[in-house]
Amino acid sequence: MSPPPSTCDVLVIGGGNAGFSAALSAAQTNPRAHVVIIDKCPASWAGGNTYFTAGAFRTAHNGLADLLPLVNNTPPEKAAHIDMPIYSEKDFTHDLNRMTGGRTDPALAKVLVQDSREAIGWLAQNGVRFQLSFNRQAYEVNGRLKFWGGLALKTEDGGKGLVEDHLRAGQKHGVQVFVDTAATALLTNPHGAITGVEVLCRPHQKRTITTGAVILAAGGFEANPQLRAQYLGPGWDAAHVRGTPYNTGDVLQIAQRDVSAKAAGNWSGCHSVAWDADSPAHVGDRGLSNEFTKSGYPLGIMVNRDGERFVDEGSDMRNYTYAMIGRRILAQPGQVAFQLWDAKTTDWLRAEEYRAEVTRHLKGDSLEELAEACAEVGLVNKERFLATVEEYNKSVRPGKWDPAVKDGLSTHGLSIPKSNWALPIDKAPFLAVRVTSGITFTFGGLAVNPETAAVISETTGAEVPGLYCVGEMLGGIFHDNYPGGSGLTSGTVFGRRAGRAAAEDVGARDRL
């Protein structure tokens, strides 16, 4: 493959959803601009963490009629059986605040929420194929498909499909993409404005790309065990990496080193999920992608290897808890846990996450047999396991079970309750799977101007001329937790703004 050019107008570092959104926006804003994306990964790893997502996008919307024009999988006869409540900007803002304990940056949150629907419409106009997420965000109850948790949209074929669509859109608008090209330094003039980027191309070829604007979209430090332990805390080097092995935080460090980029956000926080304990530890599987996720815990219970429950599995809808549940699992002995169900709920588990071809099923025709199966893969205390299930079963009170709403079907008298969807685990056959923590992305990043995503200098408090930051590298929105689907939306919202600002900046300088 040919090396990247020695000069361009707008240079994007990172080829995931945020980077492509920024590049496409820049190319559309200034069709004469030469827009280039570089990524340090090889071609076989193109797409960054975006490739590994389920492709969920959270947006404010006015109900089903507002979203139907965007999707390709909902004919009128199917739409007639859908229940989808309005998800207003107020709802989205409320969820951001409650998921982050009120610590989300209000200016960034306002932009994210207010731009969400328009940004997703823009993606659709540019060929991104959206669908209603029937498999992940709806349950069929009494013949009605009931959407829940404020999240309804996904991309066709998940993250893989999203990357394919971005590549097509970028090619259509003249965006050039170069892989095997790692940024190693940001270059500035005596006034502190960006003038170029030093890169290292394989094999060991150093180059300088002169450019008028740089957009940082290279991801967080989730694939770097040393930085995880340093910033997230002890034990985080043991977390499994869900996605690309190339998000190691080097561009964050380069920006802080070379232009004193100001740090922002929750550097000890991250998105981490319940993840198959048999998955590869240090890298995602591009074939299985998101199938190692194990988000069926609200339908059952979880115990650690000592047989103790450690979390309220029904505290909220799954897409409001799944991004923090990995932290709770990582804190358990051995960084593992067991998810348990009985015959009443196993049919509700999503096949793409729990099919036997991917996940080791631990089975039993009695709870004693299930305990034995779990003991073969790390359960230490079978007696406590059985006692925990018995205590849980006795604590469940009668009620109407409905997985599509917070049904209030809860336990009573337990030190750790299950607040919703509590059914006794008493009908054979029984099923368990062993899980650990899978880290998706880190929350710490760089401070930006919310209007343009321009990077702020720690030294001057002003914008670094010509430098922008989007995606996982943008800090300040998410803390401890996040509403599912808002990460991809953030990448597009701020990528779109950064691309527009960069192209306008370059165009203005060309006219001088």
Side-chain angles (χ1 to χ4, degrees):
M1 182 177 178
S2 60
S6 59
T7 184
C8 66
D9 295 305
V10 177
L11 179 65
V12 180
I13 303 175
N17 171 65
F20 269 99
S21 294
L24 180 60
S25 176
Q28 290 182 335
T29 299
N30 183 354
R32 292 182 299 175
H34 182 196
V35 181
V36 170
I37 295 175
I38 61 170
D39 201 312
K40 71 176 181 179
C41 72
S44 59
W45 281 90
N49 261 359
T50 297
Y51 185 94
F52 292 89
T53 71
F57 279 79
R58 181 174 292 265
T59 179
H61 62 81
N62 289 319
L64 180 62
D66 189 18
L67 299 184
L68 282 177
L70 300 175
V71 302
N72 64 13
N73 67 336
T74 313
E77 58 271 20
K78 191 167 189 175
H81 296 278
I82 292 173
D83 293 331
M84 183 186 296
I86 290 171
Y87 189 66
S88 67
E89 291 184 0
K90 182 178 179 181
D91 294 330
F92 196 164
T93 302
H94 174 70
D95 283 339
L96 270 173
N97 278 307
R98 73 187 185 91
M99 292 294 99
T100 63
R103 291 183 293 167
T104 186
D105 182 293
L108 292 171
K110 181 179 180 181
V111 170
L112 171 60
V113 171
Q114 292 185 349
D115 281 16
S116 60
R117 177 60 181 82
E118 182 182 336
I120 287 172
W122 173 75
L123 286 178
Q125 291 167 8
N126 283 287
V128 172
R129 299 159 295 160
F130 283 102
Q131 298 181 330
L132 292 186
S133 185
F134 295 108
N135 63 326
R136 295 179 64 85
Q137 291 301 140
Y139 287 118
E140 185 172 352
V141 181
N142 298 324
R144 305 289 298 176
L145 288 162
K146 300 175 67 174
F147 277 83
W148 46 271
L151 182 59
L153 290 177
K154 72 175 187 72
T155 52
E156 184 174 334
D157 205 15
K160 179 181 178 181
L162 177 56
V163 171
E164 291 172 353
D165 293 345
H166 272 310
L167 284 167
R168 278 194 294 268
Q171 185 176 32
K172 178 181 177 181
H173 288 274
V175 175
Q176 289 187 288
V177 181
F178 296 88
V179 294
D180 287 322
T181 305
T184 57
L186 297 175
L187 306 178
T188 59
N189 65 18
H191 303 289
I194 293 293
T195 60
V197 176
E198 287 185 356
V199 301
L200 180 63
C201 308
R202 295 185 184 180
H204 308 297
Q205 182 182 6
K206 292 183 179 181
R207 293 176 66 88
T208 296
I209 303 175
T210 301
T211 184
V214 171
I215 302 173
L216 307 177
F221 55 88
E222 57 272 5
N224 187 325
Q226 178 181 348
L227 292 186
R228 292 201 309 267
Q230 179 179 341
Y231 289 113
L232 303 183
W236 276 101
D237 49 339
H240 284 211
V241 176
R242 288 186 62 188
T244 176
Y246 292 95
N247 283 10
T248 52
D250 43 327
V251 179
L252 281 167
Q253 294 176 315
I254 288 168
Q256 292 179 302
R257 179 196 70 197
D258 292 347
V259 298
S260 299
K262 183 178 181 180
N266 182 202
W267 280 74
S268 61
C270 66
H271 176 308
S272 60
V273 304
W275 195 245
D276 197 313
D278 292 329
S279 65
H282 304 297
V283 62
D285 184 304
R286 286 179 71 89
L288 295 176
S289 185
N290 199 49
E291 292 190 49
F292 286 131
T293 301
K294 298 292 172 277
S295 62
Y297 56 88
L299 301 171
I301 64 172
M302 282 197 295
V303 301
N304 60 24
R305 73 179 187 184
D306 294 331
E308 301 276 3
R309 286 180 63 245
F310 56 91
V311 69
D312 182 349
E313 303 90 348
S315 62
D316 208 331
M317 307 301 291
R318 186 268 310 163
N319 56 14
Y320 296 130
T321 62
Y322 81 112
M324 49 71 67
I325 208 73
R327 178 178 289 271
R328 303 297 298 273
I329 295 170
L330 196 76
Q332 302 310 304
Q335 293 88 42
V336 295
F338 295 86
Q339 297 178 345
L340 320 176
W341 307 270
D342 72 358
K344 297 190 296 295
T345 53
T346 49
D347 287 345
W348 291 85
L349 297 173
R350 292 205 297 270
E352 66 268 27
E353 293 185 3
Y354 289 99
R355 60 191 180 97
E357 293 85 354
V358 174
T359 301
R360 177 165 31 176
H361 284 190
L362 308 171
K363 299 179 179 179
D365 289 325
S366 67
L367 288 169
E368 289 76 13
E369 287 184 10
L370 185 67
E372 288 288 347
C374 292
E376 292 179 3
V377 292
L379 177 67
V380 172
N381 194 328
K382 292 184 292 184
E383 292 73 21
R384 185 59 229 166
F385 174 97
L386 293 170
T388 293
V389 176
E390 182 180 5
E391 292 164 5
Y392 166 79
N393 287 346
K394 289 179 178 178
S395 74
V396 175
R397 296 294 180 265
K400 184 179 180 181
W401 187 77
D402 186 344
V405 297
K406 290 201 285 187
D407 61 8
L409 190 57
S410 63
T411 60
H412 295 266
L414 297 181
S415 59
I416 300 175
K418 185 176 182 184
S419 300
N420 294 282
W421 314 297
L423 292 175
I425 298 176
D426 57 6
K427 183 179 179 180
F430 302 95
L431 173 68
V433 300
R434 191 170 67 106
V435 295
T436 187
S437 174
I439 186 167
T440 311
F441 66 91
T442 46
F443 291 160
L446 304 181
V448 302
N449 176 345
E451 296 301 315
T452 61
V455 173
I456 305 299
S457 167
E458 179 73 57
T459 304
T460 67
E463 296 178 11
V464 178
L467 186 63
Y468 305 84
C469 175
V470 297
E472 294 176 10
M473 291 187 67
L474 188 157
I477 300 178
F478 307 129
H479 290 258
D480 291 338
N481 198 1
Y482 93 137
S486 48
L488 286 176
T489 304
S490 171
T492 293
V493 163
F494 291 101
R496 191 180 180 206
R497 285 187 172 230
R500 182 167 57 238
E504 289 174 349
D505 184 33
V506 169
R509 276 181 271 160
D510 288 343
R511 291 190 292 271
L512 293 177

